[in-house]
Amino acid sequence: MLGAGMVGVSTAIAARQRGLSVVVIDRREPGSETSYGNAGIISSGSILPLNTPALWKNLPKYLSNTHPALRWNVPWAIANAGWVIRFLASATPSQTRPRAAALAGLIGTSLQLHRDWIVKAEAGHRMRETGWLKAWRGDGLAAAKAEQAALAEFGIRSEVLDRQGISALEPNIIPAYRVGLLHSQTASVDSPGAVVKAYATMLAGQGGAVRQSEIRRIVPEGDGWRVVLTGAEIRARHVVVALGPWSAELLRPLGYRVPLATERGYHQHFVPNPARKLLRPIHDADGSFLMTPMEQGIRVTSGVELTARDAPSNYAQLEAVVPMARSVIEFGEPVGERWRGARPTLPDSLPMIGQAPRHRGLWLAFGNQHIGFTTGPGTGAAIAAMISGEAPPFDTKAFSPSRYIA
Ligand SMILES: Cc1cc2nc3c(=O)[nH]c(=O)nc-3n(C[C@H](O)[C@H](O)[C@H](O)COP(=O)(O)OP(=O)(O)OC[C@H]3O[C@@H](n4cnc5c(N)ncnc54)[C@H](O)[C@@H]3O)c2cc1C
């Protein structure tokens, strides 16, 4: 298993549960990268990615490059015009429902597994079953109702709230919002990195190995694979690439050019006010940012920055939303450093889950965009089933790697 983020660790757990012998390799400790810095939402309702028809309506304001929801780097967009065009081309009504259906299957399986594993991994105390509140400062009623209807089509429950309803739910926040939509089947955790670590500890307890090393290359050898690490090699029958935003590089020497971009995002923690406790993550719909109560404090996470994965940080987007967050929650000084991560995203915003087209035993499990913390377990369960020659627990056709690589 290459990568010890939520996707890699989950895949290893699911493979081990099927009796396969597994080694997870990562240069860092489990859950130290993207799976550490996210908003910790285990979302029942994230079936509509960023590139839906609504994107066209919002495009004029995004083009200004000042909106907190989306910043984009012009030279990057020109150099990656192919990705941008395919991303926009997916934002059609005809492509929205099939993708939502595919994601609903992946998410449904993932939620069940999280709820089971988090207890078995002795991290159940980290999970809150308080839902996730999306909230509008202005008249968001039509948007809330439209989202509720879209979710209801897939049996996903939500509740539209007015100002009083929001105050009853979150009595300690400043009443900044007029309309809310509570995703009532969504859960959240107080430390996503700690949850991945707990899953990795559970895996080790079940006989899986976790090894810390840089992965340099993968080479087909006989009917298996040689994984070249720094100063060591491992041979395996199957290799799963679950390297999140780093996944495409390792595949290039094998002739696969995967159109994987990164939707970068930032977070910063703030000292919470114990007398004004936040009970669940809030998504501020106008500012396109999130506030989540975490072990380290209130975590404010930013919207999307479309640029190269390793380009220097630009904190402007995060800085723009912190005052907006303060107008909702009373919190104190910043805690620790600001963090930057990269959501790994394919043009249709669906992950790749399946075998590489030209290489037996090479499995691809990445591209989980904004919902990889949620969807790691389902992704892993599908890959482990496919390796074992079983039917995956949900329909994986839409996630086939062959839609982008041959
Ligand atoms: C700001 C922000 C907020 C988010 N909020 C949410 C949320 O609330 N809910 C949700 O479900 N998702 C959320 N996400 C998305 C989610 O965090 C990601 O989709 C998910 O973490 C991806 O997991 P992964 O295992 O694919 O990648 P990662 O967690 O990045 O794991 C990949 C691993 O590969 C390792 N690696 C890479 N290259 C090498 C190499 N050459 N050798 C050795 N190791 C290597 C890395 O060290 C890393 O540990 C958010 C993301 C961001 C940025």
Side-chain angles (χ1 to χ4, degrees):
M1 190 67 46
L2 312 185
M6 181 50 93
V7 176
V9 170
S10 295
T11 310
I13 292 171
R16 189 70 205 115
Q17 285 176 344
R18 285 170 174 79
L20 299 171
S21 126
V22 293
V23 184
V24 183
I25 308 159
D26 198 302
R27 60 186 165 219
R28 301 194 61 186
E29 282 183 24
S32 298
E33 291 281 2
T34 333
S35 299
Y36 156 78
N38 58 73
I41 298 169
I42 300 179
S43 171
S44 63
S46 295
I47 57 170
L48 299 173
L50 184 62
N51 51 347
T52 62
L55 179 61
W56 293 107
K57 198 177 82 206
N58 293 323
L59 210 52
K61 62 184 180 208
Y62 294 161
L63 286 175
S64 71
N65 229 350
T66 53
H67 198 277
L70 180 69
R71 302 282 169 101
W72 54 290
N73 178 281
V74 178
W76 178 89
I78 293 167
N80 293 276
W83 185 92
V84 174
I85 289 165
R86 284 194 275 181
F87 185 76
L88 291 172
S90 295
T92 63
S94 67
Q95 291 192 55
T96 298
R97 203 177 189 287
R99 287 184 298 154
L103 287 174
L106 170 62
I107 289 172
T109 299
S110 299
L111 259 58
Q112 276 178 19
L113 290 173
H114 268 302
R115 288 188 166 111
D116 179 29
W117 292 357
I118 205 160
V119 174
K120 290 187 176 141
E122 295 176 15
H125 58 285
R126 297 201 173 276
M127 193 177 204
R128 291 172 293 244
E129 292 283 2
T130 49
W132 171 30
L133 180 67
K134 184 167 180 181
W136 289 261
R137 290 162 194 256
D139 185 12
L141 192 58
K145 284 191 167 164
E147 186 169 329
Q148 183 176 47
L151 297 179
E153 266 194 65
F154 296 96
I156 301 162
R157 285 200 298 275
S158 64
E159 217 178 300
V160 176
L161 302 168
D162 60 11
R163 205 186 288 277
Q164 285 76 16
I166 295 170
S167 292
L169 199 68
E170 284 288 350
N172 297 320
I173 67 169
I174 300 158
Y177 298 118
R178 274 172 69 182
V179 178
L181 185 70
L182 177 70
H183 287 216
S184 44
Q185 293 164 301
T186 287
S188 63
V189 300
D190 71 356
S191 174
V195 170
V196 180
K197 283 183 176 51
Y199 285 6
T201 303
M202 174 172 83
L203 169 72
Q206 294 167 349
V210 181
R211 185 164 167 172
Q212 207 169 330
S213 175
E214 178 77 25
I215 302 153
R216 304 215 163 267
R217 264 179 316 133
I218 49 171
V219 184
E221 200 174 78
D223 59 357
W225 290 88
R226 182 159 54 91
V227 180
V228 181
L229 309 175
T230 305
E233 293 186 345
I234 296 184
R235 284 173 177 74
R237 187 72 194 273
H238 299 273
V239 165
V240 182
V241 178
L243 296 169
W246 295 271
S247 298
E249 271 117 288
L250 208 69
L251 297 168
R252 216 165 286 147
L254 298 171
Y256 296 116
R257 293 190 71 81
V258 183
L260 187 69
T262 52
E263 296 182 65
R264 300 201 320 181
Y266 298 83
H267 85 217
Q268 187 165 26
H269 294 119
F270 296 88
V271 178
N273 177 347
R276 315 286 285 163
K277 221 168 156 216
L278 179 66
L279 304 176
R280 57 183 53 74
I282 298 183
H283 176 183
D284 185 294
D286 307 273
S288 304
F289 67 93
L290 275 131
M291 299 157 276
T292 308
M294 292 284 182
E295 197 172 44
Q296 300 101 318
I298 301 291
R299 179 177 289 186
V300 178
T301 49
S302 69
V304 168
E305 182 192 26
L306 268 181
T307 189
R309 185 192 61 211
D310 301 327
S313 296
N314 177 352
Y315 297 112
Q317 216 171 345
L318 184 63
E319 283 162 2
V321 296
V322 169
M324 292 181 81
R326 282 195 191 280
S327 71
V328 179
I329 311 170
E330 282 180 22
F331 53 73
E333 291 300 304
V335 183
E337 297 293 307
R338 291 176 289 199
W339 174 89
R340 186 189 86 211
R343 307 168 181 94
T345 304
L346 290 152
D348 61 3
S349 295
L350 300 180
M352 274 193 184
I353 306 176
Q355 192 162 214
R358 283 183 286 103
H359 292 89
R360 276 178 71 79
L362 175 60
W363 300 90
L364 310 182
F366 56 82
N368 296 64
Q369 40 105 349
H370 292 234
I371 52 170
F373 185 72
T374 301
T375 56
T379 304
I383 293 279
M386 291 181 204
I387 292 176
S388 311
E390 296 166 16
F394 54 91
D395 188 350
T396 56
K397 270 200 295 296
F399 306 116
S400 167
S402 63
R403 70 195 197 278
Y404 288 118
I405 52 176

